[in-house]
Amino acid sequence: MNVRRTSALLALAVAAGCGSTKTTLPVMFDQPAGVAVFMGVTVKNAGIHPYAAVANGAREDLTLLDAIDDKPVLSPILLRALAVVTHPLAACPTCAPRPGRLVSGSLHDVDGLGQSLQKADLLGVLIQGSPVMQVVRTWNEDNQMVDELELDLSGYAPGSDVVFAVTAPVPDATGAPVPGKVRVIFALTGRRLVVAEYDRDPGDGEGIVPGPVTVQDLDFQPLHLAVAEDPRLVYAATLDEVPVGSGRHGVVELDASGTPGTWTEDLLDARAPTRLVAALDVGERDFAVNSVDVKGTEPHVPRVYAALDTSGCGPAFEIECGIVTIDPAPGVRGIVPDPLGELPYQPPMRIPASPLAMVPVGLPAQTPDTWTPGTTRIHTSLGMRDTAAVLAVAASDGRIYPVDLSRRTLLNDQTMLRDIANSSTQTRTRCDGVTTLVDPDSTSTLEAEVCTLADPGTACTPVADLVNAKDEVIVTPGYTFTEIFSTVWQGVLPGLGGFGFGHVDTPVGVKAMTLGVGGKLRVAFQTPSTLGYTEVVRVFDPALGVRRGDILQLATFNGNVAPGDPASLAACEVDVPVDETRTIWPWNIDTHDYVVTDILPPDPVEYPGGALVVDDDGSPCMAALMAGATPRASVRAAGWVLSGGNVGYAGRPAVVTAPDDPNVRIRVELRYSDQDAADKDCPLAPWPANPETVVCDDDCRLRCENRLISHLTRRWYTMADQCAEDTGCRDRWGNGADPFPNKKGPVVQFEFTIREDDLQGVPQPTLNVERDLGYRVSLGGGHSPTAFYPTQYVVWPADLALFDKSPWNVNASTRFYVAYMGDEVYDFSPSEPINVPATIR
Amino acid sequence: MPVARHVLAVSALALAAACTPVERPSAPLDAFAFPTGIGLSDGHLLVVSSNADLTYEDDKGGSLLSLDPDASLANEAPAFTGGIRIPSFGGTLVVADPVACGLPSGPEALFASRLSGDLYRVPVGANGSLTCGQGCTVNLAKPGEGDPLSVTLACVDGRPKRAFVGWRRSRVGTSCDPNASSTETCAIISEVTLDGAVSRVSTGPVVFNAGSIQAVQYDATTDLLFFATSGSHVGWIDLSTGCGLAPTDLQCSRQAIDLGQVARGAAARNVALATPVPGVPRRLYALARLLDPNAASVGIEVQIGGALIVLDLELNSLGTITARPIRTVPLTTGVSEMLVLPRAGKRDVVAITAVDDGEIWFYDDELGAVTGVLARGPDGVPLAGLGPFAMASEDRGGGVVRLYVTAFHGNEVTVLDVLDLDDPDPLSTPPGVMVVGKIGG
């Protein structure tokens, strides 16, 4: 026993009594690396019985648990759990053969009448880092490895390692399982599969004997496999383009109806590389009907689920990260269409952390009488939800997320729609607050006021106060995400410098270099370095939002100079005395505003991120800048700019002043537009390897901005909530009598007006709006995903195994064993409250 | 070894000393004692012994020994070629090339002593002899101020030749920003110039409230200095602008990311740069131990496992680096050191030592998976030695890479040959890695 385990026990002792989970016998797992449920025979029970096998990744054995009572199968001395020991390998007799992933599968036995007959399953143990699978004797109480069944794949695929393995029935011509057979499909390095069959021993009718082993070469590297309910179809996740050079990524469907070795490949387009895959026939709610109800009568259709790989998904990519639902039917062969008809695909189901393993489950064999026929259940903090299928996703944050496959969404533990009565804190999608951005030193007589929602397009009816103003901000469940957006007049573009609120209390701007060329000043945001330049800002990238006509603000210091900062430029000093009242940043900063007249593409030698051009104003300061200087710089929008604290640049709000309105009226609106069209129109996204060769004029830059905003405003959540009887809820979301708001909405929308104080109604055609005036709105997305997890050691759920316990206990339903790296196994059912699951240690 | 154990060891020893004064001998120069650092210089193997249990006297209880590894293996006994005594608690070792680092007197072995707070610059003779004369030690930390541990070299043409030393422990507020609050801790790195007559030292905090520095790693391609903290952060400092680490220097830009956001419970342990691949983002390997966050909240450190977090470093439009997690690979407990093993035409293989479980793991970055583990034999004894820790590699030709691994608890060096980088597994047929022999012990 090492320090780790001593500490673990100590922590367990400390934690005892704190958790809501129950702790059973001390089983003493050692870094569980795999788990599988199988039917077999042990000393613990008479006859065939369900067990969970757990691979102890840091030892050389498996532990067997009785899947009915979660107690271990004991060794003959009855003092500890039975250790099913792996056998040393011929290739390295002195090495420890440590078990990794486990595979199990039924041989689909039948009796003489063709009726299903329960016999012992195949239980295979992959030895970590080796191409070897050992097989456990599950058909009698011996429960040790069977030497005759050990499979060394190096004999079939020399030099290959096993990446993943899965069991599947051997299908006949109709797709029905051939009785007495099972196959293990191994995904191997070197772009190949090996398919190994196992048969029921014709001699004793109980044991298992090896069948044929076949190699299937592939044109891609499989990472993960899933078998459809029709075992003639096998699905593989891959990072590779399929076919090579096509630019297409997704899940590869293998037609396994023929003999292994002759299987054919076809891509199901997921718009991104994939890492995990699952397949199931699912009864989905009727997305054509505006209801979230699952009745249990929906037809079951084949679906494939793929976890997208982070190398090709996210805000900058064609699709966000998450789990996509794929329809393998002809005519689709890709992600299911968006039920709202808005996006070119239904948005991925977003998981808060990286998926590590996932297993789907449909209906249990038996359900309690109180359940809706044809459904199973997911327990959430808002109550039970009926569904036809669940995808359990183990994630890197230690949690297991039960994805509702009927609704194609990850359920919410809080309402996204309804108000919580008698509470000042709401969980629904909302605007939490509106604040004004006004310089406290300002002497401006201007006022800004949020307009009510009642008068879009007409003169503004100001909201009385900011407390009420938040109710005038339009948000949309599924679109609005948690973020703080700022709308500012001539605001600094995100990341491009900026002065602290109150002008000069914080360091200023981004390091820049200037040089006069052809009578114009070029300004690049970069720092000389040993490698040429570093801290290179790609001002040519439209994602930063710079436009011709914007304001370039160059800042130099006078008086004292900041330590080590070369930005002082005597010729640019203006006669402003040092402001002694400013204690944080005691150096006066001289700022000089110029209009950006051009945006130059990158020059790999002079300005690898591009440069901004301003005209010579003939001043001594400009002359000094032309000679080459290193001031700080900021870029301000020429007009209104919208930005988010996390997402950065979010476009330019429009001025929508009515013709007879004396005041200036601004509309902030972030709304989705066709991303596929936008993706095609921008040659600078993704940022090309040779941007200096790309021509992108003002129209092109606007199209690129549209692409950015199109991605930013993609709907990220498929609603599964409803208003029920809360009429305020229905009014809020504008869905009238319909309990389920199914509308396409903006991420955020509101309007406000700027007017001269005390002069309302008097025409002011040239209002001199002060910089940095505007509003900040705080938005809440309202999603708290339903999840299951132990109360202790919630670190690294390495593997999941499904068990349908309902034939033994109808209320136990379908459940999952989760192997956690922290020497524990978690047994839970999505249909049970979170305090019911067991943690086995 | 956790600091807590050092403290316990020192305390126990102090108590014992108070009762019965015991004269402890100086470090032997013919044996290893808790070796922590290893490197190769012109065919000579250099090993730092830490005297971690203080069997030997404090000030001269550690050692730097050089030996001929081939002769040692052939004779089945260490063939020492040089040795010096040093203070206890020596750390990781790097070897400075005399040409690249502008060292007229030849190659130097550099390592820090956590006890004395010094950086050692020990010239290595062509015959493996070791001398520690004038200028051999460079003081970085005053007594009690902190303990420098990890070292990396920045020796690139046309740029200052420097060593950077990370402090494993630093007192709250020591050398931190004077504006820092009393509860803030700072991670300290020292910068030592190598090619001048006198080493110039500048020391400064690099990141606040992220613990201390576990490891440092300089990358010449990007001129970035990477570091792993004792908290959950890895970070990097842009050295390309002529900046420095001291508070009075022009400040370097720096970034850090929280590995805990990638894998729950991750505590950073080490960091290494992948071999550059043209046309694709630079890749960073971050090694982490996985701790139980709930136990940590009540002050107990429960190690659950380990993880290798693979990150792509991409320059973004704002001129900073975005570190994008590509994958997280589960590992065992006690993961400590990493060694990147390049391959022609493919991404790297990364060798990782796990000191607690006595294992060496091989991660294949082309495949994104572990392809081999050198674990224990049937007798329960780790094949890589007891407590494998630091590693050095040597190209033996014919596609064979030899690894020298210090066995911290075994007081020996295990010699391995990686015969097939594509399949570095002792369980394969034929084996992809094999133990060649042991030196010392």
Side-chain angles (χ1 to χ4, degrees):
Chain A
M1 180 177 292
N2 58 25
V3 174
R4 171 176 62 86
R5 208 164 315 290
T6 308
S7 304
L9 289 174
L10 179 59
L12 188 69
V14 169
C18 300
S20 57
T21 57
K22 63 188 182 190
T23 302
T24 57
L25 281 175
V27 184
M28 302 298 286
F29 298 114
D30 200 349
Q31 291 187 26
V35 59
V37 172
F38 69 97
M39 299 296 294
V41 178
T42 75
V43 295
K44 187 170 186 298
N45 298 287
I48 296 289
H49 189 84
Y51 297 92
V54 179
N56 291 302
R59 294 201 306 251
E60 293 82 51
D61 62 47
L62 315 182
T63 299
L64 304 184
L65 299 172
D66 184 328
I68 301 304
D69 62 13
D70 279 348
K71 292 181 177 169
V73 175
L74 296 179
S75 69
I77 58 172
L78 303 178
L79 294 176
R80 51 156 292 172
L82 174 71
V84 180
V85 180
T86 53
H87 287 181
L89 304 184
C92 183
T94 60
C95 296
R98 302 193 307 181
R101 181 171 175 74
L102 305 179
V103 292
S104 65
S106 166
L107 275 71
H108 300 278
D109 299 280
V110 294
D111 61 17
L113 301 175
Q115 298 298 308
S116 178
L117 191 63
Q118 186 65 65
K119 291 190 176 184
D121 290 346
L122 174 77
L123 177 60
V125 183
L126 297 173
I127 304 301
Q128 288 185 26
S130 83
V132 172
M133 184 180 80
Q134 298 181 348
V135 175
V136 179
R137 196 184 314 276
T138 55
W139 51 93
N140 68 35
E141 296 172 358
D142 167 63
N143 295 144
Q144 296 305 308
M145 300 299 168
V146 185
D147 287 338
E148 302 77 45
L149 292 181
E150 180 171 309
L151 176 62
D152 186 346
L153 297 169
S154 61
Y156 302 93
S160 290
D161 266 338
V162 180
V163 178
F164 190 76
V166 66
T167 59
V170 177
D172 65 14
T174 67
V178 175
K181 289 181 180 292
V182 67
R183 63 175 40 153
V184 182
I185 307 171
F186 299 90
L188 301 182
T189 59
R191 301 185 169 209
R192 65 185 66 158
L193 303 177
V194 166
V195 181
E197 288 188 7
Y198 293 85
D199 300 333
R200 185 67 66 199
D201 187 341
D204 64 10
E206 299 296 331
I208 295 174
V209 295
V213 179
T214 316
V215 176
Q216 167 79 45
D217 289 322
L218 303 172
D219 294 327
F220 65 94
Q221 175 59 56
L223 293 181
H224 195 256
L225 299 170
V227 179
E229 291 198 34
D230 179 345
R232 292 174 295 179
L233 294 172
V234 175
Y235 296 99
T238 181
L239 304 181
D240 294 346
E241 276 183 336
V242 180
V244 176
S246 67
R248 298 173 68 217
H249 291 89
V251 170
V252 178
E253 182 184 79
L254 295 161
D255 180 348
S257 57
T259 307
T262 65
W263 295 357
T264 55
E265 307 168 5
D266 191 26
L267 183 79
L268 304 177
D269 197 333
R271 292 180 171 244
T274 57
R275 181 154 287 278
L276 302 174
V277 64
L280 193 71
D281 291 358
V282 175
E284 297 180 332
R285 80 167 176 89
D286 186 351
F287 284 93
V289 176
N290 201 17
S291 166
V292 291
D293 291 341
V294 175
K295 300 180 175 66
T297 55
E298 294 83 0
H300 284 220
V301 291
R303 289 287 181 259
V304 178
Y305 303 94
L308 303 181
D309 188 77
T310 52
S311 63
C313 60
F317 292 91
E318 189 179 341
I319 190 167
E320 293 288 341
C321 294
I323 294 171
V324 291
T325 307
I326 294 172
D327 183 352
V332 184
R333 306 291 288 167
I335 304 174
V336 292
D338 182 4
L340 296 190
E342 183 179 48
L343 273 75
Y345 50 82
Q346 176 156 11
M349 297 174 279
R350 190 181 291 187
I351 305 295
S354 297
L356 305 176
M358 60 187 200
V359 174
V361 58
L363 303 176
Q366 299 178 28
T367 55
D369 294 340
T370 53
W371 289 21
T372 305
T375 67
T376 183
R377 288 181 164 185
I378 299 176
H379 183 273
T380 77
S381 295
L382 296 178
M384 290 291 184
R385 303 297 298 269
D386 290 343
T387 184
V390 180
L391 181 68
V393 181
S396 60
D397 60 0
R399 300 186 175 202
I400 315 300
Y401 293 96
V403 174
D404 181 343
L405 295 182
S406 289
R407 298 179 179 86
R408 299 183 198 152
T409 197
L410 178 53
L411 294 175
N412 202 346
D413 269 347
Q414 61 190 27
T415 176
M416 254 181 164
L417 302 175
R418 302 183 299 276
D419 268 347
I420 300 172
N422 304 317
S423 173
S424 59
T425 304
Q426 298 299 332
T427 63
R428 64 172 170 82
T429 305
R430 65 205 180 272
C431 173
D432 280 325
V434 178
T435 53
T436 55
L437 299 172
V438 178
D439 184 348
D441 297 334
S442 172
T443 57
S444 171
T445 58
L446 292 178
E447 282 188 349
E449 288 175 306
V450 174
C451 309
T452 66
L453 294 174
D455 56 351
T458 63
C460 177
T461 302
V463 177
D465 56 54
L466 288 177
V467 174
N468 294 328
K470 66 179 172 26
D471 296 330
E472 309 301 327
V473 176
I474 299 175
V475 291
T476 314
Y479 291 80
T480 301
F481 47 89
T482 301
E483 175 63 294
I484 297 175
F485 282 106
S486 298
T487 308
V488 177
W489 171 250
Q490 293 187 345
V492 173
L493 298 179
L496 295 179
F499 301 90
F501 190 67
H503 296 306
V504 290
D505 280 343
T506 56
V508 293
V510 177
K511 292 174 184 173
M513 298 177 64
T514 67
L515 191 64
V517 176
K520 292 179 181 290
L521 185 69
R522 292 181 179 181
V523 180
F525 292 63
Q526 57 196 31
T527 305
S529 82
T530 52
L531 303 171
Y533 299 105
T534 186
E535 300 172 339
V536 174
V537 179
R538 297 177 195 148
V539 292
F540 191 62
D541 186 348
L544 296 186
V546 184
R547 296 179 182 179
R548 285 202 302 156
D550 282 344
I551 300 159
L552 176 67
Q553 223 170 11
L554 298 181
T556 59
F557 303 110
N558 68 32
N560 297 321
V561 175
D565 200 310
S568 179
L569 206 59
C572 293
E573 285 190 12
V574 293
D575 188 17
V576 177
V578 172
D579 185 345
E580 300 296 343
T581 65
R582 299 196 182 281
T583 56
I584 300 174
W585 188 252
W587 306 282
N588 256 19
I589 299 163
D590 301 324
T591 59
H592 307 266
D593 288 9
Y594 304 95
V595 175
V596 175
T597 58
D598 203 359
I599 304 168
L600 299 179
D603 178 317
V605 177
E606 298 293 336
Y607 34 84
L612 305 182
V613 179
V614 299
D615 289 341
D616 184 357
D617 64 0
S619 68
C621 179
M622 176 59 78
L625 293 167
M626 288 277 207
T630 54
R632 299 296 182 93
S634 300
V635 181
R636 288 176 174 274
W640 294 92
V641 63
L642 179 68
S643 61
N646 293 315
V647 301
Y649 180 73
R652 311 280 178 113
V655 176
V656 292
T657 309
D660 57 348
D661 190 341
N663 307 312
V664 177
R665 182 164 182 169
I666 297 94
R667 173 181 296 160
V668 176
E669 183 175 12
L670 261 185
R671 186 181 290 276
Y672 173 79
S673 61
D674 184 357
Q675 77 152 75
D676 272 358
D679 282 352
K680 290 175 187 152
D681 283 345
C682 178
L684 289 172
W687 186 247
N690 51 351
E692 64 277 8
T693 64
V694 175
V695 176
C696 194
D697 59 14
D698 288 352
D699 284 345
C700 165
R701 298 183 68 79
L702 284 177
R703 291 198 305 272
C704 288
E705 282 195 31
N706 287 340
R707 176 188 184 275
L708 173 84
I709 292 166
S710 170
H711 285 203
L712 178 65
T713 52
R714 290 184 290 213
R715 192 171 76 259
W716 58 273
Y717 186 68
T718 298
M719 289 293 302
D721 203 356
Q722 55 190 11
C723 282
E725 300 308 314
D726 179 350
T727 54
C729 171
R730 296 181 187 193
D731 293 343
R732 179 180 308 116
W733 307 118
N735 47 308
D738 199 326
F740 178 57
N742 209 4
K743 67 174 189 173
K744 306 167 193 173
V747 173
V748 60
Q749 182 181 342
F750 67 102
E751 294 185 13
F752 63 92
T753 190
I754 305 290
R755 67 164 192 248
E756 191 78 34
D757 190 20
D758 298 329
L759 291 174
Q760 190 171 9
V762 177
Q764 297 289 327
T766 56
L767 286 180
N768 184 22
V769 182
E770 189 170 331
R771 272 183 192 165
D772 294 327
L773 185 145
Y775 281 101
R776 179 177 294 152
V777 295
S778 302
L779 307 178
H783 192 219
S784 176
T786 298
F788 291 81
Y789 48 93
T791 54
Q792 294 287 321
Y793 302 94
V794 192
V795 175
W796 206 268
D799 198 12
L800 286 169
L802 168 66
F803 174 48
D804 183 356
K805 198 173 181 177
S806 65
W808 290 268
N809 177 354
V810 68
N811 291 315
S813 193
T814 47
R815 24 196 338 108
F816 295 91
Y817 286 95
V818 188
Y820 275 89
M821 186 186 275
D823 298 351
E824 70 182 8
V825 171
Y826 180 58
D827 170 14
F828 82 99
S829 171
S831 61
E832 290 177 340
I834 197 164
N835 60 343
V836 171
T839 301
I840 309 162
R841 303 190 121 261
Chain B
M1 164 172 282
V3 170
R5 289 184 63 181
H6 283 157
V7 173
L8 282 174
V10 171
S11 303
L13 204 65
L15 280 172
C19 300
T20 52
V22 176
E23 285 290 321
R24 285 175 289 141
S26 299
L29 294 181
D30 60 356
F32 308 124
F34 295 96
T36 48
I38 194 166
L40 284 159
S41 176
D42 292 336
H44 295 281
L45 194 61
L46 305 170
V47 180
V48 172
S49 285
S50 66
N51 185 31
D53 66 348
L54 295 177
T55 294
Y56 307 104
E57 64 176 320
D58 293 4
D59 292 345
K60 295 178 184 173
S63 68
L64 172 66
L65 301 176
S66 73
L67 53 89
D68 180 335
D70 289 343
S72 300
L73 288 170
N75 301 335
E76 297 185 351
F80 292 106
T81 54
I84 60 170
R85 293 186 176 89
I86 57 174
S88 302
F89 304 143
T92 53
L93 179 143
V94 293
V95 177
D97 178 81
V99 177
C101 294
L103 305 172
S105 58
E108 289 182 3
L110 286 88
F111 57 92
S113 164
R114 301 175 66 180
L115 186 71
S116 67
D118 292 328
L119 173 69
Y120 274 75
R121 301 181 53 182
V122 181
V124 183
N127 59 357
S129 61
L130 304 171
T131 53
C132 187
Q134 192 172 15
C136 172
T137 60
V138 182
N139 185 249
L140 304 177
K142 301 180 186 71
E145 190 180 33
D147 49 358
L149 173 65
S150 51
V151 187
T152 188
L153 293 169
C155 295
V156 181
D157 261 356
R159 301 180 216 169
K161 319 302 182 198
R162 292 168 288 182
F164 292 92
V165 185
W167 290 27
R168 179 60 186 82
R169 180 176 55 89
S170 51
R171 282 183 175 172
V172 172
T174 302
S175 299
C176 284
D177 185 325
N179 293 322
S181 76
S182 60
T183 58
E184 283 183 312
T185 60
C186 54
I188 301 285
I189 294 177
S190 294
E191 171 185 351
V192 180
T193 57
L194 296 177
D195 49 354
V198 178
S199 297
R200 188 186 83 90
V201 179
S202 58
T203 296
V206 293
V207 60
F208 285 90
N209 274 348
S212 51
I213 298 291
Q214 284 278 8
V216 285
Q217 181 72 54
Y218 172 76
D219 176 52
T221 307
T222 56
D223 214 0
L224 296 174
L225 175 63
F226 291 84
F227 56 86
T229 72
S230 62
S232 58
H233 289 75
V234 296
W236 49 92
I237 302 167
D238 187 349
L239 297 172
S240 70
T241 61
C243 58
L245 298 181
T248 53
D249 292 339
L250 176 63
Q251 291 298 288
C252 302
S253 62
R254 59 200 71 182
Q255 286 181 257
I257 64 162
D258 184 356
L259 298 180
Q261 298 295 318
V262 183
R264 188 165 191 259
R269 185 70 193 184
N270 220 312
V271 66
L273 268 292
T275 305
V277 177
V280 298
R282 197 68 193 281
R283 187 158 281 186
L284 181 71
Y285 305 117
L287 192 60
R289 293 182 175 181
L290 298 179
L291 309 180
D292 175 34
N294 296 333
S297 67
V298 293
I300 302 171
E301 182 175 305
V302 178
Q303 195 183 151
I304 286 172
L308 179 69
I309 297 171
V310 182
L311 304 141
D312 269 356
L313 305 177
E314 296 170 290
L315 278 173
N316 59 38
S317 293
L318 292 172
T320 56
I321 293 172
T322 299
R324 199 149 56 88
I326 294 300
R327 67 183 62 94
T328 304
V329 183
L331 303 170
T332 188
T333 53
V335 291
S336 298
E337 300 282 311
M338 272 190 296
L339 190 64
V340 173
L341 306 173
R343 278 184 298 187
K346 291 183 177 177
R347 289 192 180 272
D348 303 315
V349 169
V350 184
I352 298 157
T353 52
V355 69
D356 290 357
D357 290 342
E359 297 169 356
I360 300 179
W361 289 53
F362 295 94
Y363 163 77
D364 185 326
D365 197 30
E366 185 77 18
L367 186 62
V370 172
T371 51
V373 180
L374 191 69
R376 297 185 300 273
D379 55 0
V381 177
L383 297 173
L386 290 171
F389 188 69
M391 291 177 284
S393 67
E394 180 183 34
D395 185 350
R396 301 287 286 190
V400 176
V401 177
R402 178 157 290 182
L403 291 186
Y404 299 96
V405 186
T406 62
F408 182 77
H409 298 297
N411 294 330
E412 63 188 359
V413 172
T414 306
V415 185
L416 315 171
D417 274 353
V418 182
L419 305 169
D420 182 0
L421 278 173
D422 291 342
D423 187 19
D425 197 308
L427 302 181
S428 294
T429 309
V433 61
M434 59 181 290
V435 177
V436 177
K438 307 277 178 98
I439 301 173

